[in-house]
Every structure is written in structure tokens, then in C-alpha cells.
Amino acid sequence: MAHAHLPTTEAAVTAIREVAAEFGLSLSVTDDIGADRTSRRTSAPLFTVLDPDGSLPHEAFVDLAGPPSVSVRLFPEDDAKITVEGVEFHDVPRDSVPSFLRSVYGGLAFTKGRLFPPGHWLVVPLPCDETCKEPVPAPALTPWLSGRTRR
């Protein structure tokens, strides 16, 4: 299954809405539009709307109902930060966001623990044998994360 190309932040939000509908989830969306409003443009002068190249940056924050608790921040640079139960996945390609969410809500994501050094990782499989993997912050796993542990 190939990734759908999501050329804009709005296209990505629409794709996330489709995933939410597929899994019966409610969501809220907050849009930040303009260079002076987006998080990666903090150095832009106040009331500066366009980037130097003349484009209008658009960032969105999507909060999905859980369990698990998931939020997605879509950046104008074609990437996203997805947080699942407090575990942050930085630099997820925008085109991979829908399949990432389907993996999480479809039961494919799992945690993997190890004794030494101690810790747990949240692993989210994506199509084409790709995976996203991030450490679970200490001290404890949430009930959702601990319910997905594999050895």
C-alpha cells in the first residue's frame, strides 16, 4: 500500500478526518496560518504573513479522542510530530501520517521492553516494511502502552 501524496497541510487534515471517521473517533483541529503564527517561524516579524519565498505557511494541530491519546502537529515543511500517549515521534513525513494513525488505532502498534539498559520502545509499523520507533519516557507505561507489550 503506497502512501497517498498529501501536498498541503489541509490535505493532511482531510486525510486525518477520514481515518478518524473510519475508527469512530472525534477530533479537534486548530489551524495556524501565516509566518507570524506558525511554530517554526518564531523569528518572523509580527504581522508577517508570507514566507520570504511568497508562500503562505499553514500549520495544524489535531487532537484525536482516545484511547490512546494522540495528537498530530502538521508543519508546512511536509512533516509532522505525532504524540501517542506521551511518546513523541518527530519528523514523520506528512504522507505517512494516515498510515501511522491506522497502525495505532488498528492495533498494529506495540511496545517492546528490554532489561538492560531498562526501557520500553513504542513501535509503529508502516506499509512497505517501514517502522517508526521511539523510547517511552520513564517512569511508567500508561495502561494503553502496557497493554501492547511484546517480548
Side-chain angles (χ1 to χ4, degrees):
M1 176 172 157
H3 299 297
H5 180 60
L6 303 171
T8 65
T9 298
E10 192 54 42
V13 170
T14 299
I16 293 171
R17 287 184 192 281
E18 291 168 3
V19 172
E22 191 179 318
F23 290 96
L25 305 167
S26 61
L27 72 144
S28 65
V29 179
T30 306
D31 292 290
D32 291 320
I33 300 173
D36 61 340
R37 303 271 320 257
T38 57
S39 65
R40 292 183 176 167
R41 309 287 198 290
T42 54
S43 63
L46 198 59
F47 306 115
T48 301
V49 177
L50 302 177
D51 275 346
D53 66 0
S55 64
L56 181 67
H58 177 192
E59 185 173 294
F61 181 79
V62 183
D63 198 19
L64 293 129
S69 95
V70 176
S71 65
V72 181
R73 180 166 296 281
L74 297 159
F75 297 105
E77 296 83 10
D78 297 337
D79 69 324
K81 178 178 97 172
I82 303 175
T83 306
V84 180
E85 293 285 311
V87 180
E88 294 183 350
F89 292 82
H90 293 271
D91 304 319
V92 176
R94 181 165 55 202
D95 292 348
S96 298
V97 170
S99 50
F100 185 105
L101 296 174
R102 281 189 180 92
S103 185
V104 168
Y105 287 109
L108 299 175
F110 61 93
T111 57
K112 191 168 181 82
R114 60 174 188 231
L115 292 174
F116 192 79
H120 284 83
W121 293 77
L122 177 56
V123 180
V124 181
L126 299 176
C128 303
D129 293 327
E130 294 178 60
T131 59
C132 293
K133 178 175 145 180
E134 288 295 331
V136 176
L141 295 171
T142 66
W144 185 87
L145 288 168
S146 62
R148 270 128 199 95
T149 301
R150 291 186 189 170
R151 297 282 170 223

mmCIF file with all atom_site columns, all heavy atoms in Angstrom, residues 48-74:
data_model
loop_
_atom_site.group_PDB
_atom_site.id
_atom_site.type_symbol
_atom_site.label_atom_id
_atom_site.label_alt_id
_atom_site.label_comp_id
_atom_site.label_asym_id
_atom_site.label_entity_id
_atom_site.label_seq_id
_atom_site.pdbx_PDB_ins_code
_atom_site.Cartn_x
_atom_site.Cartn_y
_atom_site.Cartn_z
_atom_site.occupancy
_atom_site.B_iso_or_equiv
_atom_site.pdbx_formal_charge
_atom_site.auth_seq_id
_atom_site.auth_comp_id
_atom_site.auth_asym_id
_atom_site.auth_atom_id
_atom_site.pdbx_PDB_model_num
ATOM 1   N N   . THR A 1 48 ? 3.731   39.378 9.819  1.00 0.00 ? 48 THR A N   1
ATOM 2   C CA  . THR A 1 48 ? 4.323   38.899 8.574  1.00 0.00 ? 48 THR A CA  1
ATOM 3   C C   . THR A 1 48 ? 3.591   37.616 8.208  1.00 0.00 ? 48 THR A C   1
ATOM 4   O O   . THR A 1 48 ? 3.673   36.630 8.912  1.00 0.00 ? 48 THR A O   1
ATOM 5   C CB  . THR A 1 48 ? 5.828   38.603 8.739  1.00 0.00 ? 48 THR A CB  1
ATOM 6   O OG1 . THR A 1 48 ? 6.460   39.801 9.158  1.00 0.00 ? 48 THR A OG1 1
ATOM 7   C CG2 . THR A 1 48 ? 6.437   38.110 7.445  1.00 0.00 ? 48 THR A CG2 1
ATOM 8   N N   . VAL A 1 49 ? 2.866   37.651 7.107  1.00 0.00 ? 49 VAL A N   1
ATOM 9   C CA  . VAL A 1 49 ? 2.030   36.521 6.740  1.00 0.00 ? 49 VAL A CA  1
ATOM 10  C C   . VAL A 1 49 ? 2.757   35.558 5.813  1.00 0.00 ? 49 VAL A C   1
ATOM 11  O O   . VAL A 1 49 ? 2.683   34.348 5.976  1.00 0.00 ? 49 VAL A O   1
ATOM 12  C CB  . VAL A 1 49 ? 0.717   37.023 6.085  1.00 0.00 ? 49 VAL A CB  1
ATOM 13  C CG1 . VAL A 1 49 ? -0.133  35.874 5.616  1.00 0.00 ? 49 VAL A CG1 1
ATOM 14  C CG2 . VAL A 1 49 ? -0.054  37.891 7.076  1.00 0.00 ? 49 VAL A CG2 1
ATOM 15  N N   . LEU A 1 50 ? 3.488   36.064 4.836  1.00 0.00 ? 50 LEU A N   1
ATOM 16  C CA  . LEU A 1 50 ? 4.136   35.223 3.840  1.00 0.00 ? 50 LEU A CA  1
ATOM 17  C C   . LEU A 1 50 ? 5.574   34.906 4.221  1.00 0.00 ? 50 LEU A C   1
ATOM 18  O O   . LEU A 1 50 ? 6.252   35.701 4.867  1.00 0.00 ? 50 LEU A O   1
ATOM 19  C CB  . LEU A 1 50 ? 4.121   35.909 2.469  1.00 0.00 ? 50 LEU A CB  1
ATOM 20  C CG  . LEU A 1 50 ? 2.756   36.283 1.901  1.00 0.00 ? 50 LEU A CG  1
ATOM 21  C CD1 . LEU A 1 50 ? 2.924   37.020 0.578  1.00 0.00 ? 50 LEU A CD1 1
ATOM 22  C CD2 . LEU A 1 50 ? 1.885   35.052 1.719  1.00 0.00 ? 50 LEU A CD2 1
ATOM 23  N N   . ASP A 1 51 ? 6.027   33.736 3.803  1.00 0.00 ? 51 ASP A N   1
ATOM 24  C CA  . ASP A 1 51 ? 7.440   33.394 3.922  1.00 0.00 ? 51 ASP A CA  1
ATOM 25  C C   . ASP A 1 51 ? 8.211   34.212 2.897  1.00 0.00 ? 51 ASP A C   1
ATOM 26  O O   . ASP A 1 51 ? 7.628   34.749 1.956  1.00 0.00 ? 51 ASP A O   1
ATOM 27  C CB  . ASP A 1 51 ? 7.637   31.895 3.642  1.00 0.00 ? 51 ASP A CB  1
ATOM 28  C CG  . ASP A 1 51 ? 7.412   31.050 4.886  1.00 0.00 ? 51 ASP A CG  1
ATOM 29  O OD1 . ASP A 1 51 ? 7.372   31.601 5.993  1.00 0.00 ? 51 ASP A OD1 1
ATOM 30  O OD2 . ASP A 1 51 ? 7.286   29.817 4.734  1.00 0.00 ? 51 ASP A OD2 1
ATOM 31  N N   . PRO A 1 52 ? 9.545   34.282 3.024  1.00 0.00 ? 52 PRO A N   1
ATOM 32  C CA  . PRO A 1 52 ? 10.342  35.039 2.056  1.00 0.00 ? 52 PRO A CA  1
ATOM 33  C C   . PRO A 1 52 ? 10.115  34.602 0.600  1.00 0.00 ? 52 PRO A C   1
ATOM 34  O O   . PRO A 1 52 ? 10.243  35.396 -0.318 1.00 0.00 ? 52 PRO A O   1
ATOM 35  C CB  . PRO A 1 52 ? 11.782  34.773 2.494  1.00 0.00 ? 52 PRO A CB  1
ATOM 36  C CG  . PRO A 1 52 ? 11.672  34.510 3.965  1.00 0.00 ? 52 PRO A CG  1
ATOM 37  C CD  . PRO A 1 52 ? 10.359  33.786 4.133  1.00 0.00 ? 52 PRO A CD  1
ATOM 38  N N   . ASP A 1 53 ? 9.751   33.333 0.376  1.00 0.00 ? 53 ASP A N   1
ATOM 39  C CA  . ASP A 1 53 ? 9.518   32.856 -0.993 1.00 0.00 ? 53 ASP A CA  1
ATOM 40  C C   . ASP A 1 53 ? 8.112   33.186 -1.503 1.00 0.00 ? 53 ASP A C   1
ATOM 41  O O   . ASP A 1 53 ? 7.728   32.800 -2.601 1.00 0.00 ? 53 ASP A O   1
ATOM 42  C CB  . ASP A 1 53 ? 9.775   31.354 -1.106 1.00 0.00 ? 53 ASP A CB  1
ATOM 43  C CG  . ASP A 1 53 ? 8.786   30.511 -0.304 1.00 0.00 ? 53 ASP A CG  1
ATOM 44  O OD1 . ASP A 1 53 ? 7.877   31.072 0.354  1.00 0.00 ? 53 ASP A OD1 1
ATOM 45  O OD2 . ASP A 1 53 ? 8.913   29.271 -0.352 1.00 0.00 ? 53 ASP A OD2 1
ATOM 46  N N   . GLY A 1 54 ? 7.313   33.887 -0.690 1.00 0.00 ? 54 GLY A N   1
ATOM 47  C CA  . GLY A 1 54 ? 5.967   34.280 -1.095 1.00 0.00 ? 54 GLY A CA  1
ATOM 48  C C   . GLY A 1 54 ? 4.886   33.276 -0.741 1.00 0.00 ? 54 GLY A C   1
ATOM 49  O O   . GLY A 1 54 ? 3.707   33.510 -0.998 1.00 0.00 ? 54 GLY A O   1
ATOM 50  N N   . SER A 1 55 ? 5.258   32.141 -0.138 1.00 0.00 ? 55 SER A N   1
ATOM 51  C CA  . SER A 1 55 ? 4.254   31.139 0.230  1.00 0.00 ? 55 SER A CA  1
ATOM 52  C C   . SER A 1 55 ? 3.608   31.489 1.567  1.00 0.00 ? 55 SER A C   1
ATOM 53  O O   . SER A 1 55 ? 4.161   32.235 2.376  1.00 0.00 ? 55 SER A O   1
ATOM 54  C CB  . SER A 1 55 ? 4.888   29.746 0.295  1.00 0.00 ? 55 SER A CB  1
ATOM 55  O OG  . SER A 1 55 ? 5.857   29.694 1.329  1.00 0.00 ? 55 SER A OG  1
ATOM 56  N N   . LEU A 1 56 ? 2.431   30.933 1.772  1.00 0.00 ? 56 LEU A N   1
ATOM 57  C CA  . LEU A 1 56 ? 1.670   31.152 2.998  1.00 0.00 ? 56 LEU A CA  1
ATOM 58  C C   . LEU A 1 56 ? 1.770   29.896 3.861  1.00 0.00 ? 56 LEU A C   1
ATOM 59  O O   . LEU A 1 56 ? 1.141   28.889 3.553  1.00 0.00 ? 56 LEU A O   1
ATOM 60  C CB  . LEU A 1 56 ? 0.205   31.447 2.660  1.00 0.00 ? 56 LEU A CB  1
ATOM 61  C CG  . LEU A 1 56 ? -0.732  31.714 3.833  1.00 0.00 ? 56 LEU A CG  1
ATOM 62  C CD1 . LEU A 1 56 ? -0.359  33.022 4.527  1.00 0.00 ? 56 LEU A CD1 1
ATOM 63  C CD2 . LEU A 1 56 ? -2.167  31.792 3.333  1.00 0.00 ? 56 LEU A CD2 1
ATOM 64  N N   . PRO A 1 57 ? 2.602   29.908 4.913  1.00 0.00 ? 57 PRO A N   1
ATOM 65  C CA  . PRO A 1 57 ? 2.750   28.701 5.721  1.00 0.00 ? 57 PRO A CA  1
ATOM 66  C C   . PRO A 1 57 ? 1.474   28.385 6.506  1.00 0.00 ? 57 PRO A C   1
ATOM 67  O O   . PRO A 1 57 ? 0.810   29.281 7.021  1.00 0.00 ? 57 PRO A O   1
ATOM 68  C CB  . PRO A 1 57 ? 3.913   29.018 6.655  1.00 0.00 ? 57 PRO A CB  1
ATOM 69  C CG  . PRO A 1 57 ? 4.003   30.488 6.689  1.00 0.00 ? 57 PRO A CG  1
ATOM 70  C CD  . PRO A 1 57 ? 3.444   30.998 5.399  1.00 0.00 ? 57 PRO A CD  1
ATOM 71  N N   . HIS A 1 58 ? 1.127   27.108 6.548  1.00 0.00 ? 58 HIS A N   1
ATOM 72  C CA  . HIS A 1 58 ? -0.067  26.630 7.241  1.00 0.00 ? 58 HIS A CA  1
ATOM 73  C C   . HIS A 1 58 ? 0.334   25.450 8.104  1.00 0.00 ? 58 HIS A C   1
ATOM 74  O O   . HIS A 1 58 ? 0.890   24.477 7.625  1.00 0.00 ? 58 HIS A O   1
ATOM 75  C CB  . HIS A 1 58 ? -1.119  26.198 6.210  1.00 0.00 ? 58 HIS A CB  1
ATOM 76  C CG  . HIS A 1 58 ? -2.369  25.626 6.813  1.00 0.00 ? 58 HIS A CG  1
ATOM 77  N ND1 . HIS A 1 58 ? -3.296  24.973 6.055  1.00 0.00 ? 58 HIS A ND1 1
ATOM 78  C CD2 . HIS A 1 58 ? -2.840  25.607 8.069  1.00 0.00 ? 58 HIS A CD2 1
ATOM 79  C CE1 . HIS A 1 58 ? -4.294  24.564 6.824  1.00 0.00 ? 58 HIS A CE1 1
ATOM 80  N NE2 . HIS A 1 58 ? -4.032  24.939 8.065  1.00 0.00 ? 58 HIS A NE2 1
ATOM 81  N N   . GLU A 1 59 ? 0.058   25.570 9.389  1.00 0.00 ? 59 GLU A N   1
ATOM 82  C CA  . GLU A 1 59 ? 0.347   24.527 10.355 1.00 0.00 ? 59 GLU A CA  1
ATOM 83  C C   . GLU A 1 59 ? -0.969  24.162 11.016 1.00 0.00 ? 59 GLU A C   1
ATOM 84  O O   . GLU A 1 59 ? -1.831  25.023 11.195 1.00 0.00 ? 59 GLU A O   1
ATOM 85  C CB  . GLU A 1 59 ? 1.332   25.104 11.373 1.00 0.00 ? 59 GLU A CB  1
ATOM 86  C CG  . GLU A 1 59 ? 1.850   24.142 12.383 1.00 0.00 ? 59 GLU A CG  1
ATOM 87  C CD  . GLU A 1 59 ? 2.947   24.791 13.219 1.00 0.00 ? 59 GLU A CD  1
ATOM 88  O OE1 . GLU A 1 59 ? 4.019   25.116 12.660 1.00 0.00 ? 59 GLU A OE1 1
ATOM 89  O OE2 . GLU A 1 59 ? 2.710   25.003 14.409 1.00 0.00 ? 59 GLU A OE2 1
ATOM 90  N N   . ALA A 1 60 ? -1.151  22.897 11.359 1.00 0.00 ? 60 ALA A N   1
ATOM 91  C CA  . ALA A 1 60 ? -2.381  22.478 12.036 1.00 0.00 ? 60 ALA A CA  1
ATOM 92  C C   . ALA A 1 60 ? -2.036  21.570 13.199 1.00 0.00 ? 60 ALA A C   1
ATOM 93  O O   . ALA A 1 60 ? -1.069  20.801 13.146 1.00 0.00 ? 60 ALA A O   1
ATOM 94  C CB  . ALA A 1 60 ? -3.311  21.766 11.066 1.00 0.00 ? 60 ALA A CB  1
ATOM 95  N N   . PHE A 1 61 ? -2.836  21.661 14.247 1.00 0.00 ? 61 PHE A N   1
ATOM 96  C CA  . PHE A 1 61 ? -2.718  20.779 15.406 1.00 0.00 ? 61 PHE A CA  1
ATOM 97  C C   . PHE A 1 61 ? -4.016  19.996 15.496 1.00 0.00 ? 61 PHE A C   1
ATOM 98  O O   . PHE A 1 61 ? -5.101  20.587 15.555 1.00 0.00 ? 61 PHE A O   1
ATOM 99  C CB  . PHE A 1 61 ? -2.480  21.588 16.684 1.00 0.00 ? 61 PHE A CB  1
ATOM 100 C CG  . PHE A 1 61 ? -2.328  20.718 17.900 1.00 0.00 ? 61 PHE A CG  1
ATOM 101 C CD1 . PHE A 1 61 ? -1.127  20.070 18.157 1.00 0.00 ? 61 PHE A CD1 1
ATOM 102 C CD2 . PHE A 1 61 ? -3.386  20.522 18.762 1.00 0.00 ? 61 PHE A CD2 1
ATOM 103 C CE1 . PHE A 1 61 ? -0.989  19.254 19.272 1.00 0.00 ? 61 PHE A CE1 1
ATOM 104 C CE2 . PHE A 1 61 ? -3.259  19.715 19.876 1.00 0.00 ? 61 PHE A CE2 1
ATOM 105 C CZ  . PHE A 1 61 ? -2.048  19.076 20.134 1.00 0.00 ? 61 PHE A CZ  1
ATOM 106 N N   . VAL A 1 62 ? -3.915  18.667 15.470 1.00 0.00 ? 62 VAL A N   1
ATOM 107 C CA  . VAL A 1 62 ? -5.083  17.795 15.515 1.00 0.00 ? 62 VAL A CA  1
ATOM 108 C C   . VAL A 1 62 ? -5.003  16.955 16.775 1.00 0.00 ? 62 VAL A C   1
ATOM 109 O O   . VAL A 1 62 ? -3.993  16.307 17.042 1.00 0.00 ? 62 VAL A O   1
ATOM 110 C CB  . VAL A 1 62 ? -5.142  16.877 14.272 1.00 0.00 ? 62 VAL A CB  1
ATOM 111 C CG1 . VAL A 1 62 ? -6.400  16.024 14.296 1.00 0.00 ? 62 VAL A CG1 1
ATOM 112 C CG2 . VAL A 1 62 ? -5.059  17.692 12.985 1.00 0.00 ? 62 VAL A CG2 1
ATOM 113 N N   . ASP A 1 63 ? -6.063  16.975 17.561 1.00 0.00 ? 63 ASP A N   1
ATOM 114 C CA  . ASP A 1 63 ? -6.152  16.191 18.783 1.00 0.00 ? 63 ASP A CA  1
ATOM 115 C C   . ASP A 1 63 ? -7.238  15.144 18.571 1.00 0.00 ? 63 ASP A C   1
ATOM 116 O O   . ASP A 1 63 ? -8.388  15.497 18.291 1.00 0.00 ? 63 ASP A O   1
ATOM 117 C CB  . ASP A 1 63 ? -6.490  17.115 19.955 1.00 0.00 ? 63 ASP A CB  1
ATOM 118 C CG  . ASP A 1 63 ? -6.174  16.502 21.295 1.00 0.00 ? 63 ASP A CG  1
ATOM 119 O OD1 . ASP A 1 63 ? -5.392  15.552 21.351 1.00 0.00 ? 63 ASP A OD1 1
ATOM 120 O OD2 . ASP A 1 63 ? -6.727  17.001 22.303 1.00 0.00 ? 63 ASP A OD2 1
ATOM 121 N N   . LEU A 1 64 ? -6.875  13.857 18.656 1.00 0.00 ? 64 LEU A N   1
ATOM 122 C CA  . LEU A 1 64 ? -7.816  12.760 18.438 1.00 0.00 ? 64 LEU A CA  1
ATOM 123 C C   . LEU A 1 64 ? -8.227  12.151 19.766 1.00 0.00 ? 64 LEU A C   1
ATOM 124 O O   . LEU A 1 64 ? -7.402  11.985 20.669 1.00 0.00 ? 64 LEU A O   1
ATOM 125 C CB  . LEU A 1 64 ? -7.179  11.683 17.554 1.00 0.00 ? 64 LEU A CB  1
ATOM 126 C CG  . LEU A 1 64 ? -6.904  12.133 16.133 1.00 0.00 ? 64 LEU A CG  1
ATOM 127 C CD1 . LEU A 1 64 ? -5.488  11.830 15.733 1.00 0.00 ? 64 LEU A CD1 1
ATOM 128 C CD2 . LEU A 1 64 ? -7.872  11.482 15.183 1.00 0.00 ? 64 LEU A CD2 1
ATOM 129 N N   . ALA A 1 65 ? -9.503  11.775 19.867 1.00 0.00 ? 65 ALA A N   1
ATOM 130 C CA  . ALA A 1 65 ? -10.018 11.140 21.076 1.00 0.00 ? 65 ALA A CA  1
ATOM 131 C C   . ALA A 1 65 ? -9.377  9.769  21.238 1.00 0.00 ? 65 ALA A C   1
ATOM 132 O O   . ALA A 1 65 ? -9.077  9.095  20.260 1.00 0.00 ? 65 ALA A O   1
ATOM 133 C CB  . ALA A 1 65 ? -11.531 11.012 20.995 1.00 0.00 ? 65 ALA A CB  1
ATOM 134 N N   . GLY A 1 66 ? -9.178  9.353  22.455 1.00 0.00 ? 66 GLY A N   1
ATOM 135 C CA  . GLY A 1 66 ? -8.551  8.057  22.698 1.00 0.00 ? 66 GLY A CA  1
ATOM 136 C C   . GLY A 1 66 ? -9.518  7.063  23.293 1.00 0.00 ? 66 GLY A C   1
ATOM 137 O O   . GLY A 1 66 ? -10.700 7.349  23.327 1.00 0.00 ? 66 GLY A O   1
ATOM 138 N N   . PRO A 1 67 ? -9.063  5.985  23.812 1.00 0.00 ? 67 PRO A N   1
ATOM 139 C CA  . PRO A 1 67 ? -7.646  5.651  23.875 1.00 0.00 ? 67 PRO A CA  1
ATOM 140 C C   . PRO A 1 67 ? -7.135  5.095  22.546 1.00 0.00 ? 67 PRO A C   1
ATOM 141 O O   . PRO A 1 67 ? -7.919  4.509  21.835 1.00 0.00 ? 67 PRO A O   1
ATOM 142 C CB  . PRO A 1 67 ? -7.582  4.603  24.981 1.00 0.00 ? 67 PRO A CB  1
ATOM 143 C CG  . PRO A 1 67 ? -8.925  3.947  24.991 1.00 0.00 ? 67 PRO A CG  1
ATOM 144 C CD  . PRO A 1 67 ? -9.879  4.990  24.512 1.00 0.00 ? 67 PRO A CD  1
ATOM 145 N N   . PRO A 1 68 ? -5.874  5.253  22.288 1.00 0.00 ? 68 PRO A N   1
ATOM 146 C CA  . PRO A 1 68 ? -4.884  6.041  23.016 1.00 0.00 ? 68 PRO A CA  1
ATOM 147 C C   . PRO A 1 68 ? -5.045  7.531  22.728 1.00 0.00 ? 68 PRO A C   1
ATOM 148 O O   . PRO A 1 68 ? -5.690  7.906  21.753 1.00 0.00 ? 68 PRO A O   1
ATOM 149 C CB  . PRO A 1 68 ? -3.558  5.542  22.434 1.00 0.00 ? 68 PRO A CB  1
ATOM 150 C CG  . PRO A 1 68 ? -3.900  5.223  21.010 1.00 0.00 ? 68 PRO A CG  1
ATOM 151 C CD  . PRO A 1 68 ? -5.295  4.656  21.068 1.00 0.00 ? 68 PRO A CD  1
ATOM 152 N N   . SER A 1 69 ? -4.445  8.338  23.568 1.00 0.00 ? 69 SER A N   1
ATOM 153 C CA  . SER A 1 69 ? -4.458  9.781  23.316 1.00 0.00 ? 69 SER A CA  1
ATOM 154 C C   . SER A 1 69 ? -3.397  10.067 22.255 1.00 0.00 ? 69 SER A C   1
ATOM 155 O O   . SER A 1 69 ? -2.251  9.645  22.383 1.00 0.00 ? 69 SER A O   1
ATOM 156 C CB  . SER A 1 69 ? -4.205  10.539 24.616 1.00 0.00 ? 69 SER A CB  1
ATOM 157 O OG  . SER A 1 69 ? -2.872  10.859 24.780 1.00 0.00 ? 69 SER A OG  1
ATOM 158 N N   . VAL A 1 70 ? -3.833  10.734 21.172 1.00 0.00 ? 70 VAL A N   1
ATOM 159 C CA  . VAL A 1 70 ? -2.947  11.017 20.042 1.00 0.00 ? 70 VAL A CA  1
ATOM 160 C C   . VAL A 1 70 ? -3.127  12.469 19.622 1.00 0.00 ? 70 VAL A C   1
ATOM 161 O O   . VAL A 1 70 ? -4.256  12.957 19.525 1.00 0.00 ? 70 VAL A O   1
ATOM 162 C CB  . VAL A 1 70 ? -3.259  10.097 18.833 1.00 0.00 ? 70 VAL A CB  1
ATOM 163 C CG1 . VAL A 1 70 ? -2.405  10.467 17.621 1.00 0.00 ? 70 VAL A CG1 1
ATOM 164 C CG2 . VAL A 1 70 ? -3.043  8.631  19.194 1.00 0.00 ? 70 VAL A CG2 1
ATOM 165 N N   . SER A 1 71 ? -2.020  13.133 19.372 1.00 0.00 ? 71 SER A N   1
ATOM 166 C CA  . SER A 1 71 ? -2.074  14.471 18.774 1.00 0.00 ? 71 SER A CA  1
ATOM 167 C C   . SER A 1 71 ? -1.093  14.510 17.609 1.00 0.00 ? 71 SER A C   1
ATOM 168 O O   . SER A 1 71 ? -0.095  13.802 17.605 1.00 0.00 ? 71 SER A O   1
ATOM 169 C CB  . SER A 1 71 ? -1.746  15.561 19.799 1.00 0.00 ? 71 SER A CB  1
ATOM 170 O OG  . SER A 1 71 ? -0.409  15.449 20.229 1.00 0.00 ? 71 SER A OG  1
ATOM 171 N N   . VAL A 1 72 ? -1.449  15.328 16.614 1.00 0.00 ? 72 VAL A N   1
ATOM 172 C CA  . VAL A 1 72 ? -0.624  15.459 15.415 1.00 0.00 ? 72 VAL A CA  1
ATOM 173 C C   . VAL A 1 72 ? -0.413  16.945 15.157 1.00 0.00 ? 72 VAL A C   1
ATOM 174 O O   . VAL A 1 72 ? -1.376  17.702 15.080 1.00 0.00 ? 72 VAL A O   1
ATOM 175 C CB  . VAL A 1 72 ? -1.315  14.824 14.182 1.00 0.00 ? 72 VAL A CB  1
ATOM 176 C CG1 . VAL A 1 72 ? -0.428  14.956 12.944 1.00 0.00 ? 72 VAL A CG1 1
ATOM 177 C CG2 . VAL A 1 72 ? -1.680  13.376 14.433 1.00 0.00 ? 72 VAL A CG2 1
ATOM 178 N N   . ARG A 1 73 ? 0.845   17.374 15.046 1.00 0.00 ? 73 ARG A N   1
ATOM 179 C CA  . ARG A 1 73 ? 1.150   18.736 14.616 1.00 0.00 ? 73 ARG A CA  1
ATOM 180 C C   . ARG A 1 73 ? 1.728   18.633 13.217 1.00 0.00 ? 73 ARG A C   1
ATOM 181 O O   . ARG A 1 73 ? 2.781   18.043 13.012 1.00 0.00 ? 73 ARG A O   1
ATOM 182 C CB  . ARG A 1 73 ? 2.134   19.439 15.547 1.00 0.00 ? 73 ARG A CB  1
ATOM 183 C CG  . ARG A 1 73 ? 2.412   20.868 15.035 1.00 0.00 ? 73 ARG A CG  1
ATOM 184 C CD  . ARG A 1 73 ? 3.092   21.780 16.007 1.00 0.00 ? 73 ARG A CD  1
ATOM 185 N NE  . ARG A 1 73 ? 2.371   22.102 17.207 1.00 0.00 ? 73 ARG A NE  1
ATOM 186 C CZ  . ARG A 1 73 ? 1.389   23.006 17.316 1.00 0.00 ? 73 ARG A CZ  1
ATOM 187 N NH1 . ARG A 1 73 ? 0.964   23.639 16.252 1.00 0.00 ? 73 ARG A NH1 1
ATOM 188 N NH2 . ARG A 1 73 ? 0.823   23.254 18.464 1.00 0.00 ? 73 ARG A NH2 1
ATOM 189 N N   . LEU A 1 74 ? 0.984   19.185 12.257 1.00 0.00 ? 74 LEU A N   1
ATOM 190 C CA  . LEU A 1 74 ? 1.397   19.179 10.856 1.00 0.00 ? 74 LEU A CA  1
ATOM 191 C C   . LEU A 1 74 ? 2.138   20.469 10.558 1.00 0.00 ? 74 LEU A C   1
ATOM 192 O O   . LEU A 1 74 ? 1.608   21.555 10.801 1.00 0.00 ? 74 LEU A O   1
ATOM 193 C CB  . LEU A 1 74 ? 0.173   19.061 9.945  1.00 0.00 ? 74 LEU A CB  1
ATOM 194 C CG  . LEU A 1 74 ? -0.612  17.763 10.103 1.00 0.00 ? 74 LEU A CG  1
ATOM 195 C CD1 . LEU A 1 74 ? -2.028  17.945 9.587  1.00 0.00 ? 74 LEU A CD1 1
ATOM 196 C CD2 . LEU A 1 74 ? 0.091   16.639 9.376  1.00 0.00 ? 74 LEU A CD2 1
#
